[in-house]
Amino acid sequence: MSEPGGPLPLAQPVLGAREEELVLEVLRSGHLSLGPRLARFEHAFADRVGAVHASAVSSGTAGLHLALRAVGVAPGTEVVTTPFSFVASANVALYEGATPVFADIDPVTLNLDPDAAAAAIGPRTAALLPVHVFGYPADLAALEGHGLPIVEDACEALGGTYADTGERVGSRGHPAVFGFYANKQIATGEGGMVVCASPAQKERIDSERNQGRAPDMGWLDHDRLGFNYRLSDLHCALGIAQLERLDAMLADRARVAALYRQYLGALTDRGLGLPCADGVGGSAARRGWFVFVVQLPSGQDRDATVRALAERGVPAKPYFPAIHLMSYYRERFGYRSGQFPVTEEVSARSLALPFFPAMTEAQVATVVAALTAVLGRVAPT
Ligand SMILES: *Cc1c(COP(=O)(O)O)cnc(C)c1O
């Protein structure tokens, strides 16, 4: 927790006596890894999202990597995904010698546009990797029509529900990956979880996170390539405590988002864009609130806006930069501006505002007052 009266953070986990108690228990038990908290965390998580199986891993990125392997992504294949995401969702294809093939996004939900994804599918496509961006569920029903394996990047979407069924994100049966970095809905410092319905996928993920060992932990014979993507019992203990307070934290995030919506309403007349509301197009989609990202009015200089907000004690961050325009991707694949126009327009205007469960109405009001003062004042580009 930040000190009362201290600087306003961009994100902040909720950690208390219960986290301390469960982590201390692990320390005192001496059983720091592959102990009883691992299965306990996995079972509690699977129950929470309505999944059959869950495998805890060392990060969301590690989980995405293992999930792609588990659905059969191999060297020389392609993975269709979104360029408007955290860079990890594209990098994991590269880890396997596969190529991420980008498709543009829907301007309202900011998720993979199903028609653009369809156009990007080719003979070498081995999987689709939709990202539930900013916690808003991607249109999975449309993507499922292609009959290809799907891996869901649900790292931002704990607490969300699918557009077509209204069921919880993670319950659909495809491997879906959650992340527990310090700013996520539940925070274990570092960590992730892969959920799936297939026992064979679960077995492969469990083995590959642990050096390729057999489930009986035979020491010597590693019959497949593996990694060390294990999550320690200290992290699992934190995760168990965080799951116990998940409903309260999600309700608090929704409370802060509603306050932002109310306070920022007047700025929409000045061209400010707000995150889409739940149920776009009459769907059952519900967002699992993760970040509060606004779209600055077009022409507003974002870097100058960030500096002017910082001068007023308000941190803000451009989020996300488009993956295809990152220098590594430009140099390796020859991407240039103009290839994914919706992503480029959205990512040029996006700004993440301070957002965390303990945020008070007064803090929301401070952020909005600063943004109101700054909008239109910094010279247009
Ligand atoms: C957080 C996040 C990840 C995983 O991040 P890790 O830091 O590896 O846990 C992956 N994809 C998206 C979209 C994310 O936001």
Side-chain angles (χ1 to χ4, degrees):
M1 299 272 156
S2 69
E3 307 296 318
L8 181 64
L10 197 55
Q12 184 185 68
V14 180
L15 301 167
R18 182 66 175 154
E19 281 76 9
E20 291 178 15
E21 177 193 345
L22 294 194
V23 170
L24 259 181
E25 260 178 40
V26 178
L27 284 178
R28 289 176 176 150
S29 78
H31 208 155
L32 302 188
S33 202
L34 295 172
R37 275 83 183 172
L38 174 61
R40 209 173 297 159
F41 183 32
E42 290 174 342
H43 287 134
F45 193 90
D47 275 357
R48 182 61 178 73
V49 303
V52 184
H53 301 296
S55 301
V57 288
S58 54
S59 69
T61 307
L64 287 167
H65 183 198
L66 294 185
L68 282 189
R69 287 172 63 87
V71 302
V73 169
T77 64
E78 294 176 348
V79 176
V80 173
T81 190
T82 167
F84 188 66
S85 177
F86 182 56
V87 68
S89 56
N91 281 349
V92 290
L94 299 179
Y95 294 175
E96 279 306 301
T99 305
V101 173
F102 295 123
D104 213 346
I105 58 170
D106 178 279
V108 175
T109 66
L110 312 185
N111 285 318
L112 205 49
D113 172 342
D115 294 332
I121 291 171
R124 289 193 307 204
T125 306
L128 310 179
L129 200 165
V131 179
H132 305 304
V133 170
F134 305 153
Y136 195 88
D139 183 353
L140 285 191
L143 297 174
E144 284 163 354
H146 301 289
L148 285 160
I150 291 178
V151 168
E152 298 172 42
D153 182 340
C155 286
E156 304 192 344
L158 184 54
T161 64
Y162 294 114
D164 55 342
T165 62
E167 313 249 27
R168 282 167 284 179
V169 168
S171 65
R172 214 168 173 97
H174 311 292
V177 182
F178 296 84
F180 309 138
Y181 181 69
N183 66 343
K184 300 284 158 97
Q185 286 94 338
I186 73 175
T188 63
E190 300 285 354
M193 191 74 78
V194 190
V195 298
C196 65
S198 150
Q201 287 174 347
K202 160 76 172 161
E203 191 274 332
R204 181 165 176 184
I205 290 164
D206 284 357
S207 169
E208 290 188 351
R209 77 176 164 188
N210 189 23
Q211 313 288 8
R213 283 186 202 165
D216 67 3
M217 285 287 288
W219 268 100
L220 295 176
D221 187 24
H222 296 239
D223 62 358
R224 53 159 68 112
L225 178 68
F227 305 86
N228 179 354
Y229 285 166
R230 295 187 302 262
L231 191 66
S232 82
D233 271 45
L234 293 161
H235 293 89
C236 291
L238 264 177
I240 292 165
Q242 290 273 287
L243 270 181
E244 290 173 2
R245 58 166 98 241
L246 177 60
D247 284 327
M249 292 193 294
L250 288 173
D252 263 326
R253 285 180 184 269
R255 171 188 61 82
V256 175
L259 286 170
Y260 263 128
R261 213 179 269 296
Q262 178 193 328
Y263 276 76
L264 288 170
L267 291 181
T268 57
D269 291 345
R270 291 165 64 183
L272 189 81
L274 300 184
C276 69
D278 287 348
V280 171
S283 78
R286 217 169 57 217
R287 190 188 295 270
W289 277 102
F290 167 56
V291 281
F292 199 92
V293 177
V294 296
Q295 303 281 306
L296 291 179
S298 43
Q300 173 98 9
D301 183 328
R302 185 172 55 180
D303 292 340
T305 303
V306 169
R307 284 194 300 274
L309 287 172
E311 281 163 19
R312 289 167 166 79
V314 172
K317 200 162 144 188
Y319 193 71
F320 300 112
I323 297 175
H324 67 287
L325 297 181
M326 290 182 174
S327 48
Y328 182 79
Y329 278 83
R330 278 185 193 255
E331 283 160 28
R332 180 160 171 183
F333 297 102
Y335 287 117
R336 16 178 205 21
S337 304
Q339 286 182 291
F340 303 100
V342 183
T343 294
E344 290 167 27
E345 158 83 6
V346 168
S347 97
R349 292 175 52 194
S350 291
L351 195 65
L353 301 178
F355 187 71
F356 49 92
M359 201 169 174
T360 63
E361 180 162 3
Q363 287 174 316
V364 171
T366 300
V367 172
V368 174
L371 191 61
T372 306
V374 161
L375 273 197
R377 266 224 216 132
V378 295
T381 40

